[in-house]
Amino acid sequence: MTERENLLKTTTFPEFNFAEGELLLINKPYKWTSFDVVGKIRNSLKPLKLKVGHAGTLDPLATGLLIICTGKLTKQIDSFQAEEKEYTGTMVLGATTPSFDMETAVDQEFPLEGITEEDIYAATAPFKGDIQQYPPAHSAVKVNGERLYVKARRGEETELRLRNVTVSAFEITRIELPEIDFRIVCSKGTYIRSLVSDFGRQLNNGAYLSKLTRTRSGSFQLENAYEVAELVAHLRSKKEVPTAPEI
C-alpha cells in the first residue's frame, strides 16, 4: 500500500465546497512558513482559481494550529485572526539569542545558580493581564513597508514600538533547568518570543524560545486539525476537481 493510500485510509474528509468557502484547520509543520502551507493547498486545488489565505501567522520554527480560508470565506480572515490564542512551549533559561528563538545562535550566557523554582513561578506575575511588549527585531512586523526580519538580516537597527497585548494565562508546567515548559493564553498580536525574552530579564538572566505549538485559536482546537500531507493527498486523489460556480 502506498503512503498516499495509507493517509487516505486513516483520515476521514467531508465533501468540500472550496469555491463557496471552506475553513481548514491545519497542523503547520516545523520549519514551514504559513505561506508555504497556503501555497501547498492552493496548488492542490488547481485548476480552480480560488483565493486562499491564513488567519494568524506562525513563525517557521513554530508548529500547530493554522486556520486556512478559501473562496468567499477569505473575507472573514480578520475576524478569525482577532480571536484569542493558546500556546504550549519550551524556553531555555541561561542564554539569549538575537532572534529570541533558535533561528540565530546564542550570543550571551548566564549562570543559573541561585534561581529557584519559586523564583520561576513568581516571575510569571508581571506578564499576566494587560501588558506592553516590543516585537522581536526578527519578526514579520512592517516598518516603513519592510519586514523587520529583512532589516535585521542586513544588520540594520530599527526603533521598535511598544504593543499593547493581553495575557490571560501564563502557567509553568515543567522545570528541568535550563528548560522550562509553559502554557500561555493571549490576545492577537502577542509575541511569545518577546514574552520569553522579557521573562528571562525578569529573573535577571536570559531566555530564548526553543519550542512553540499553537494549540487553540478561538474555539478551534489543534486536535481537530489536518496534517498537510494528508489533506493534499486527499485533494490530489480526487479524479475531478469541482469548478467554481458561474457568477
Side-chain angles (χ1 to χ4, degrees), residues 24 46 76 79 110 116 127 137 140-142 161 168 195 215 235:
L24 303 171
K46 290 180 178 179
Q76 298 183 38
S79 63
F110 304 84
T116 66
F127 303 103
V141 172
K142 283 188 176 182
R161 295 183 180 180
S168 305
L195 195 152
T215 56
L235 297 178

PDB file of all heavy atoms in Angstrom, residues 24 46 76 79 110 116 127 137 140-142 161 168 195 215 235:
ATOM      1  N   LEU A  24     -10.287  25.514   6.925  1.00  0.00           N
ATOM      2  CA  LEU A  24      -9.481  24.314   7.113  1.00  0.00           C
ATOM      3  C   LEU A  24      -8.550  24.507   8.305  1.00  0.00           C
ATOM      4  O   LEU A  24      -7.822  25.506   8.383  1.00  0.00           O
ATOM      5  CB  LEU A  24      -8.644  24.032   5.861  1.00  0.00           C
ATOM      6  CG  LEU A  24      -9.415  23.875   4.545  1.00  0.00           C
ATOM      7  CD1 LEU A  24      -8.442  23.825   3.376  1.00  0.00           C
ATOM      8  CD2 LEU A  24     -10.284  22.629   4.574  1.00  0.00           C
ATOM      9  N   LYS A  46      -5.739  23.301  -7.936  1.00  0.00           N
ATOM     10  CA  LYS A  46      -5.770  23.597  -9.364  1.00  0.00           C
ATOM     11  C   LYS A  46      -6.631  22.561 -10.065  1.00  0.00           C
ATOM     12  O   LYS A  46      -6.648  21.390  -9.667  1.00  0.00           O
ATOM     13  CB  LYS A  46      -4.351  23.594  -9.942  1.00  0.00           C
ATOM     14  CG  LYS A  46      -3.509  24.778  -9.477  1.00  0.00           C
ATOM     15  CD  LYS A  46      -2.127  24.709 -10.081  1.00  0.00           C
ATOM     16  CE  LYS A  46      -1.299  25.925  -9.652  1.00  0.00           C
ATOM     17  NZ  LYS A  46       0.074  25.880 -10.202  1.00  0.00           N
ATOM     18  N   GLN A  76     -13.592  36.677   5.855  1.00  0.00           N
ATOM     19  CA  GLN A  76     -13.729  36.624   7.312  1.00  0.00           C
ATOM     20  C   GLN A  76     -12.398  36.382   8.029  1.00  0.00           C
ATOM     21  O   GLN A  76     -12.369  36.159   9.235  1.00  0.00           O
ATOM     22  CB  GLN A  76     -14.717  35.521   7.698  1.00  0.00           C
ATOM     23  CG  GLN A  76     -16.122  35.744   7.171  1.00  0.00           C
ATOM     24  CD  GLN A  76     -17.086  34.673   7.638  1.00  0.00           C
ATOM     25  OE1 GLN A  76     -17.024  34.207   8.783  1.00  0.00           O
ATOM     26  NE2 GLN A  76     -17.983  34.256   6.761  1.00  0.00           N
ATOM     27  N   SER A  79     -11.615  38.445  11.214  1.00  0.00           N
ATOM     28  CA  SER A  79     -12.353  38.090  12.433  1.00  0.00           C
ATOM     29  C   SER A  79     -11.774  36.839  13.077  1.00  0.00           C
ATOM     30  O   SER A  79     -11.671  36.750  14.309  1.00  0.00           O
ATOM     31  CB  SER A  79     -13.841  37.898  12.126  1.00  0.00           C
ATOM     32  OG  SER A  79     -14.042  36.822  11.233  1.00  0.00           O
ATOM     33  N   PHE A 110      24.329  33.013  30.797  1.00  0.00           N
ATOM     34  CA  PHE A 110      24.207  33.499  32.168  1.00  0.00           C
ATOM     35  C   PHE A 110      24.197  32.311  33.127  1.00  0.00           C
ATOM     36  O   PHE A 110      23.655  31.243  32.794  1.00  0.00           O
ATOM     37  CB  PHE A 110      22.894  34.286  32.350  1.00  0.00           C
ATOM     38  CG  PHE A 110      22.732  35.433  31.393  1.00  0.00           C
ATOM     39  CD1 PHE A 110      22.215  35.223  30.115  1.00  0.00           C
ATOM     40  CD2 PHE A 110      23.073  36.725  31.761  1.00  0.00           C
ATOM     41  CE1 PHE A 110      22.048  36.274  29.224  1.00  0.00           C
ATOM     42  CE2 PHE A 110      22.913  37.783  30.873  1.00  0.00           C
ATOM     43  CZ  PHE A 110      22.399  37.556  29.607  1.00  0.00           C
ATOM     44  N   THR A 116      15.631  29.647  41.910  1.00  0.00           N
ATOM     45  CA  THR A 116      14.826  28.570  42.458  1.00  0.00           C
ATOM     46  C   THR A 116      13.527  28.400  41.665  1.00  0.00           C
ATOM     47  O   THR A 116      13.149  29.267  40.873  1.00  0.00           O
ATOM     48  CB  THR A 116      14.464  28.857  43.925  1.00  0.00           C
ATOM     49  OG1 THR A 116      13.593  30.005  43.971  1.00  0.00           O
ATOM     50  CG2 THR A 116      15.711  29.132  44.743  1.00  0.00           C
ATOM     51  N   PHE A 127       3.625  39.316  33.803  1.00  0.00           N
ATOM     52  CA  PHE A 127       3.254  39.098  32.407  1.00  0.00           C
ATOM     53  C   PHE A 127       1.816  38.607  32.247  1.00  0.00           C
ATOM     54  O   PHE A 127       1.438  38.113  31.182  1.00  0.00           O
ATOM     55  CB  PHE A 127       4.228  38.106  31.769  1.00  0.00           C
ATOM     56  CG  PHE A 127       5.654  38.549  31.866  1.00  0.00           C
ATOM     57  CD1 PHE A 127       6.510  37.984  32.798  1.00  0.00           C
ATOM     58  CD2 PHE A 127       6.131  39.573  31.071  1.00  0.00           C
ATOM     59  CE1 PHE A 127       7.824  38.404  32.916  1.00  0.00           C
ATOM     60  CE2 PHE A 127       7.439  40.008  31.179  1.00  0.00           C
ATOM     61  CZ  PHE A 127       8.291  39.430  32.104  1.00  0.00           C
ATOM     62  N   ALA A 137      13.137  41.930  16.904  1.00  0.00           N
ATOM     63  CA  ALA A 137      13.730  42.549  15.713  1.00  0.00           C
ATOM     64  C   ALA A 137      13.620  41.609  14.517  1.00  0.00           C
ATOM     65  O   ALA A 137      13.488  42.046  13.375  1.00  0.00           O
ATOM     66  CB  ALA A 137      15.187  42.908  15.975  1.00  0.00           C
ATOM     67  N   ALA A 140       7.879  39.603  11.541  1.00  0.00           N
ATOM     68  CA  ALA A 140       7.231  39.980  10.284  1.00  0.00           C
ATOM     69  C   ALA A 140       6.557  41.346  10.352  1.00  0.00           C
ATOM     70  O   ALA A 140       5.919  41.774   9.382  1.00  0.00           O
ATOM     71  CB  ALA A 140       6.205  38.915   9.889  1.00  0.00           C
ATOM     72  N   VAL A 141       6.695  42.040  11.489  1.00  0.00           N
ATOM     73  CA  VAL A 141       6.128  43.382  11.609  1.00  0.00           C
ATOM     74  C   VAL A 141       6.751  44.287  10.552  1.00  0.00           C
ATOM     75  O   VAL A 141       7.962  44.236  10.298  1.00  0.00           O
ATOM     76  CB  VAL A 141       6.396  43.954  13.018  1.00  0.00           C
ATOM     77  CG1 VAL A 141       5.984  45.418  13.101  1.00  0.00           C
ATOM     78  CG2 VAL A 141       5.642  43.145  14.062  1.00  0.00           C
ATOM     79  N   LYS A 142       5.915  45.122   9.915  1.00  0.00           N
ATOM     80  CA  LYS A 142       6.413  46.028   8.878  1.00  0.00           C
ATOM     81  C   LYS A 142       6.719  47.398   9.460  1.00  0.00           C
ATOM     82  O   LYS A 142       5.934  47.955  10.229  1.00  0.00           O
ATOM     83  CB  LYS A 142       5.386  46.169   7.754  1.00  0.00           C
ATOM     84  CG  LYS A 142       5.327  44.986   6.806  1.00  0.00           C
ATOM     85  CD  LYS A 142       4.421  45.280   5.618  1.00  0.00           C
ATOM     86  CE  LYS A 142       4.445  44.138   4.612  1.00  0.00           C
ATOM     87  NZ  LYS A 142       3.594  44.428   3.426  1.00  0.00           N
ATOM     88  N   ARG A 161       8.390  49.792  18.405  1.00  0.00           N
ATOM     89  CA  ARG A 161       7.310  50.428  19.145  1.00  0.00           C
ATOM     90  C   ARG A 161       6.627  49.426  20.068  1.00  0.00           C
ATOM     91  O   ARG A 161       6.389  48.283  19.692  1.00  0.00           O
ATOM     92  CB  ARG A 161       6.285  51.023  18.178  1.00  0.00           C
ATOM     93  CG  ARG A 161       6.842  52.159  17.324  1.00  0.00           C
ATOM     94  CD  ARG A 161       5.752  52.746  16.452  1.00  0.00           C
ATOM     95  NE  ARG A 161       6.256  53.842  15.627  1.00  0.00           N
ATOM     96  CZ  ARG A 161       5.512  54.541  14.767  1.00  0.00           C
ATOM     97  NH1 ARG A 161       4.231  54.225  14.608  1.00  0.00           N
ATOM     98  NH2 ARG A 161       6.044  55.517  14.070  1.00  0.00           N
ATOM     99  N   SER A 168      -3.967  36.195  29.212  1.00  0.00           N
ATOM    100  CA  SER A 168      -4.984  35.703  30.148  1.00  0.00           C
ATOM    101  C   SER A 168      -4.444  34.624  31.071  1.00  0.00           C
ATOM    102  O   SER A 168      -4.922  34.461  32.196  1.00  0.00           O
ATOM    103  CB  SER A 168      -6.185  35.150  29.374  1.00  0.00           C
ATOM    104  OG  SER A 168      -6.685  36.122  28.481  1.00  0.00           O
ATOM    105  N   LEU A 195       7.875  37.645  24.985  1.00  0.00           N
ATOM    106  CA  LEU A 195       7.480  37.358  26.357  1.00  0.00           C
ATOM    107  C   LEU A 195       8.547  36.502  27.047  1.00  0.00           C
ATOM    108  O   LEU A 195       8.905  36.746  28.200  1.00  0.00           O
ATOM    109  CB  LEU A 195       6.120  36.665  26.368  1.00  0.00           C
ATOM    110  CG  LEU A 195       5.370  36.591  27.702  1.00  0.00           C
ATOM    111  CD1 LEU A 195       3.874  36.536  27.467  1.00  0.00           C
ATOM    112  CD2 LEU A 195       5.802  35.390  28.514  1.00  0.00           C
ATOM    113  N   THR A 215      -2.016  25.646  20.153  1.00  0.00           N
ATOM    114  CA  THR A 215      -2.959  24.568  20.416  1.00  0.00           C
ATOM    115  C   THR A 215      -4.414  24.979  20.213  1.00  0.00           C
ATOM    116  O   THR A 215      -5.285  24.118  20.075  1.00  0.00           O
ATOM    117  CB  THR A 215      -2.801  24.042  21.845  1.00  0.00           C
ATOM    118  OG1 THR A 215      -2.958  25.146  22.766  1.00  0.00           O
ATOM    119  CG2 THR A 215      -1.422  23.420  22.044  1.00  0.00           C
ATOM    120  N   LEU A 235      -6.841  15.744  -1.698  1.00  0.00           N
ATOM    121  CA  LEU A 235      -7.262  16.635  -2.781  1.00  0.00           C
ATOM    122  C   LEU A 235      -6.719  16.179  -4.123  1.00  0.00           C
ATOM    123  O   LEU A 235      -7.402  16.237  -5.146  1.00  0.00           O
ATOM    124  CB  LEU A 235      -6.801  18.065  -2.478  1.00  0.00           C
ATOM    125  CG  LEU A 235      -7.410  18.709  -1.221  1.00  0.00           C
ATOM    126  CD1 LEU A 235      -6.827  20.092  -1.005  1.00  0.00           C
ATOM    127  CD2 LEU A 235      -8.920  18.771  -1.319  1.00  0.00           C
TER     128      LEU A 235
END
